[in-house]
């Protein structure tokens, strides 16, 4: 089978129409994951063994099931679930499926950010008698967010590359349109080349951007976070 | 419990003419199965300077962390200015204190840490201003004035806009003191504040503590291994050993004339 230039240039505008759907699905999923990730992190911090156990295993379950299976479940099986089941549009199903899947990773990012803040910061803010809310907003979060930004950027790119999964349940993004184009013309090579090209064009610059961001954040963070040593009681050994 | 406090306070009144600002009543603390503190009884008078010495792991840090509410006693009571720190009254019963109660009582206490714990995302000035502004609801202008005054007092008036990572250890620790002082606590806790410093920076920090101590007003509890300094500054020295206060008295007795054998051995390491 030969490469057909004409077909390639026909496919390009046809498939490009899907960019908008692909991008908006990415953004909506991402925002959903950012918010839901916060919910997981919050739930995991509740000092109750039972809740903690349930949350931990739910997250583990979600993370170790393929996102494709989750999409199929939400789109095809959910409507048949008694009482709570309902039919959802492909787009909504994709938002919920991919959003929840990614929220479990995002939650880990939040957790690592919070844990990167030295315990002494909590203690100093208690000693200064801050309220719990003030501790979070004035002291902990400003330090916890910075190191998570490059990781969150990476997840945005990974999510972007997972979004084509939504084509399997009928979201008309670029992958889906490429399928349509291919079956109309009985050839696929031009159409899927366009898809690959479009993804490359969109994700490579974003990867560069995230990389740059990461370097910048690391530099900033190193500069500011070298405050006091981290180990407790470390100088007491020297005395006795 | 509340009744006992009152009657004991009266006894203290008769004996010393002053109500203690802090009172430990048979305070125990264990971590898991390890009994770290086995019955601490201690009165600290307003303005009194108390040095706490003792071997590593004897529970010096734990004693003051319980007063700062960073660690909860296993049993016993800590009374701050007549108020029970770790318990509160609810429907006529004593129940464990909630965060609101702790906030009310701990406002009188301040602390300086071994590792400074400055806020790395704030300038020196912001480090000092943040608590007066947000906790004491002072106006920005007033908080700024008082913070600058305090930073000048610890000799850092020229570093206001620097970040903590731009300072030496000694300077960081002086900022930490200014930050705690600007909240005007009645009791200030110092947990080995010079142990994490390079030897040549210890002096400048002790100098500042001496100045603060000379102002008198504030009670101070100093966990320290600097014996000369303790002799200079402390009204009273506690030797903590095996979970109890094994010896206490003025520095001239405890440090310069120790009776307890283990204390003698301990001191040999510090005084030639
Ligand atoms: N959070 C904790 N969990 C478990 N053990 C602790 C904790 N804090 C202190 N300890 C133990 O309690 C003992 C006293 O500690 P500490 O008060 O730090 O002693 P010091 O300050 O006199 O060196 C030590 O044996 C220490 O290991
Ligand atoms: Mg200690």
């Amino acid at each position: 089978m030969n490469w057909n230039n004409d077909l390639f240039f026909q496919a390009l505008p046809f498939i490009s129409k899907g960019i908008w759907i692909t991008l908006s699905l990415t953004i909506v999923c991402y925002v959903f994951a950012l918010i839901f990730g916060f919910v997981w992190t919050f739930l995991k911090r509740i000092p109750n063994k039972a809740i903690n156990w349930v949350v931990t295993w739910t997250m583990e379950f979600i993370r170790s099931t393929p996102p494709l299976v989750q999409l199929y479940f939400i789109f095809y099986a959910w409507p048949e679930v008694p009482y709570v089941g309902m039919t959802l549009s492909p787009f909504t199903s994709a938002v919920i499926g991919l959003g929840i899947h990614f929220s479990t990773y995002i939650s880990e990012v939040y957790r690592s950010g919070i844990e990167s803040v030295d315990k002494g910061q909590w203690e100093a803010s208690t000693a200064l008698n801050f309220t719990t809310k003030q501790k979070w907003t004035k002291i902990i979060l400003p330090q916890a967010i910075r190191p998570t930004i490059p990781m969150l950027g990476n997840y945005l790119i990974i999510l972007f590359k997972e979004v084509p999964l939504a084509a399997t349940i009928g979201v008309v993004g670029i992958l889906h349109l490429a399928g349509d184009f291919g079956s109309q013309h009985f050839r696929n090579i031009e159409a899927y080349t366009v898809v690959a090209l479009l993804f490359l064009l969109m994700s490579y610059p974003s990867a560069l951007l995230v990389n740059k961001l990461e370097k910048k954040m690391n530099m900033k963070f190193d500069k500011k976070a070298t405050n006091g040593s981290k180990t407790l009681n470390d100088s007491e050994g020297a005395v006795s | 419990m509340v009744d006992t406090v009152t009657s004991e306070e009266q006894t203290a009144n008769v004996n010393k003419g002053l109500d203690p600002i802090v009172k430990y009543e048979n305070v125990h603390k264990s971590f898991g199965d390890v009994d770290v503190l086995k019955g601490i009884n201690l009165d600290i008078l307003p303005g009194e300077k108390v040095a706490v010495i003792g071997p590593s792991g004897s529970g010096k840090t734990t004693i003051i962390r319980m007063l700062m509410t960073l660690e909860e006693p296993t049993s016993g009571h800590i009374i701050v200015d007549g108020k029970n720190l770790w318990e509160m009254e609810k429907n006529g019963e004593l129940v464990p204190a909630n965060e609101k109660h702790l906030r009310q009582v701990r406002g009188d206490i301040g602390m300086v840490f071994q590792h400074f714990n400055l806020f790395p995302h704030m300038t020196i000035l912001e480090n000092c201003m943040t608590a007066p502004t947000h906790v004491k609801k002072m106006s920005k202008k007033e908080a700024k004035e008082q913070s600058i005054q305090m930073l000048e007092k610890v000799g850092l008036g020229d570093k206001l806009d620097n970040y903590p990572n731009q300072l030496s250890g000694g300077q960081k620790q002086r900022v930490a003191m200014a930050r705690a002082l600007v909240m005007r606590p009645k009791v200030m806790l110092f947990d080995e504040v010079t142990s994490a410093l390079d030897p040549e920076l210890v002096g400048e920090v002790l100098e500042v503590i001496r100045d603060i101590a000379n102002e008198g007003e504030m009670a101070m509890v100093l966990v320290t291994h600097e014996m000369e300094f303790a002799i200079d500054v402390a009204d009273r020295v506690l030797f903590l050993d095996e979970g109890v206060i094994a010896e206490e008295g003025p520095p001239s007795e405890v440090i310069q004339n120790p009776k307890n054998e283990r204390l003698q051995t301990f001191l040999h390491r510090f005084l030639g």
Side-chain angles (χ1 to χ4, degrees):
Chain A
M1 193 176 255
N2 300 320
W3 174 261
N4 183 334
N5 249 345
D6 285 349
L7 217 51
F8 175 79
F9 285 108
Q10 266 177 41
L12 195 59
F14 181 84
I15 294 171
S16 297
K17 282 186 291 187
I19 289 181
W20 166 240
I21 292 286
T22 301
L23 281 181
S24 55
L25 182 58
T26 308
I27 301 299
V28 177
C29 278
Y30 190 61
V31 171
F32 189 90
L34 289 179
I35 295 168
F36 232 74
F38 173 78
V39 174
W40 291 124
T41 309
F42 179 80
L43 287 176
K44 271 197 104 164
R45 293 188 67 86
I46 295 175
N48 175 305
K49 279 223 171 81
I51 295 178
N52 205 283
W53 190 88
V54 172
V55 174
T56 305
W57 282 102
T58 311
M59 288 175 71
E60 196 50 51
F61 173 73
I62 293 171
R63 228 175 295 164
S64 37
T65 330
L68 187 59
V69 175
Q70 287 165 7
L71 282 185
Y72 271 43
F73 186 89
I74 291 170
F75 188 65
Y76 295 114
W78 187 250
E80 296 169 16
V81 173
Y83 306 117
V84 288
M86 59 173 108
T87 307
L88 299 166
S89 75
F91 191 89
T92 311
S93 305
V95 169
I96 295 175
L98 292 174
I100 289 185
H101 190 83
F102 272 81
S103 70
T104 58
Y105 295 104
I106 299 283
S107 162
E108 282 302 305
V109 174
Y110 292 161
R111 189 188 56 79
S112 74
I114 293 167
E115 282 176 8
S116 75
V117 180
D118 183 44
K119 186 165 131 277
Q121 298 290 305
W122 289 98
E123 298 187 345
S125 38
T126 299
L128 292 169
N129 215 2
F130 282 109
T131 63
T132 306
K133 190 180 150 209
Q134 288 169 336
K135 286 179 196 173
W136 280 106
T137 58
K138 314 270 179 227
I139 309 299
I140 306 303
L141 289 181
Q143 298 180 61
I145 289 170
R146 213 192 307 268
T148 67
I149 289 175
M151 290 188 268
L152 292 178
N154 269 328
Y155 274 116
L156 177 58
I157 293 172
I158 297 174
L159 173 66
F160 177 62
K161 290 188 286 190
E162 295 283 327
V163 153
L165 282 179
T168 60
I169 55 169
V171 175
V172 193
I174 54 181
L175 187 65
H176 197 277
L177 286 174
D180 288 352
F181 190 88
S183 43
Q184 275 166 35
H185 298 83
F186 304 106
R187 0 183 336 132
N188 291 312
I189 184 163
E190 291 81 9
Y192 288 111
T193 305
V194 168
V195 173
L197 217 74
L198 288 178
F199 269 101
L200 180 73
L201 279 178
M202 291 188 281
S203 57
Y204 187 64
S206 359
L208 285 185
L209 197 77
V210 168
N211 242 326
K212 214 169 153 183
L213 200 67
E214 186 163 15
K215 285 215 180 87
K216 210 168 146 187
M217 286 297 155
N218 280 345
M219 256 162 56
K220 239 182 176 167
F221 197 64
D222 284 349
K223 215 180 87 199
K224 284 196 180 177
T226 45
N227 171 40
S229 94
K230 301 277 182 265
T231 41
L232 205 71
N233 288 335
D234 60 358
S235 56
E236 311 210 324
V239 167
S240 51
Chain B
M1 179 52 241
V2 175
D3 287 341
T4 343
V5 174
T6 330
S7 66
E8 281 187 23
E9 266 175 12
Q10 281 162 355
T11 335
N13 262 332
V14 176
N15 290 347
K16 296 176 183 158
L18 263 180
D19 285 337
I21 182 76
V22 174
K23 222 168 149 53
Y24 286 70
E25 296 180 339
N26 198 22
V27 172
H28 290 248
K29 175 69 187 177
S30 18
F31 292 103
D33 319 330
V34 187
D35 295 332
V36 175
L37 296 173
K38 306 169 189 166
I40 299 295
N41 289 288
L42 171 65
D43 283 7
I44 299 166
L45 299 176
E48 194 181 16
K49 318 293 180 246
V50 180
V52 182
I53 61 172
S56 172
S58 58
K60 306 179 295 295
T61 297
T62 306
I63 285 199
I64 59 175
R65 282 172 62 87
M66 289 188 301
L67 182 52
M68 193 66 261
T69 70
L70 298 173
E71 215 74 75
E72 187 170 0
T74 313
S75 67
H77 309 283
I78 299 177
I79 317 294
V80 177
D81 208 5
K83 286 162 286 191
N84 201 327
L85 177 60
W86 282 103
E87 289 143 311
M88 57 182 198
E89 222 170 314
K90 196 177 168 191
N91 308 326
E93 266 182 81
L94 274 188
V95 297
N98 58 17
E99 178 60 22
K100 188 172 164 232
H101 176 89
L102 289 175
R103 281 198 76 226
Q104 277 168 8
V105 184
R106 80 158 80 89
D108 286 338
I109 317 287
M111 182 159 175
V112 184
F113 298 86
Q114 196 172 354
H115 297 296
F116 332 127
N117 299 343
L118 293 180
F119 303 133
H121 58 302
M122 297 182 185
T123 64
I124 302 317
L125 180 59
E126 288 163 350
N127 261 277
C128 292
M129 281 175 63
T130 181
T133 331
H134 298 116
V135 177
K136 288 210 158 169
K137 309 286 177 204
M138 218 181 262
S139 73
K140 269 239 156 81
K141 185 169 167 285
E142 199 186 343
K144 187 171 174 180
E145 276 170 15
Q146 296 201 12
S147 299
I148 291 177
Q149 197 190 339
M150 218 42 104
L151 283 165
E152 278 169 355
K153 189 154 130 185
V154 300
L156 291 170
D158 56 338
K159 300 278 184 206
L160 302 181
D161 295 325
N162 286 71
Y163 280 91
N165 69 304
Q166 298 167 314
L167 304 186
S168 73
Q171 291 172 327
K172 284 183 198 168
Q173 198 57 297
R174 286 186 278 148
V175 174
M177 282 193 265
R179 181 179 72 175
L181 282 170
V182 81
M183 292 297 277
R184 318 238 170 240
K186 292 181 184 160
V187 185
M188 182 88 109
L189 312 174
F190 297 81
D191 188 10
E192 291 195 40
V193 295
T194 56
S195 305
L197 300 179
D198 293 336
E200 72 272 18
L201 301 176
V202 169
E204 64 186 64
V205 171
L206 294 184
E207 208 45 56
V208 171
I209 302 178
R210 256 191 205 105
D211 289 346
I212 303 169
N214 286 336
E215 285 174 19
E217 293 284 290
M218 190 174 65
M220 291 161 63
V221 182
L222 306 132
V223 173
T224 184
H225 288 295
E226 305 283 341
M227 295 304 155
E228 305 290 347
F229 170 73
I231 293 170
D232 272 7
V233 170
D235 302 312
R236 186 155 52 117
V237 180
L238 312 178
F239 174 58
L240 201 62
D241 189 33
E242 304 195 305
V244 295
I245 298 174
E247 187 161 337
E248 72 176 299
S252 55
E253 287 171 21
V254 177
I255 299 180
Q256 291 165 311
N257 236 327
K259 297 183 189 60
N260 182 305
E261 234 175 76
R262 286 175 58 93
L263 174 54
Q264 290 167 0
T265 324
F266 171 76
L267 285 171
H268 263 292
R269 261 179 276 151
F270 297 94
L271 307 165

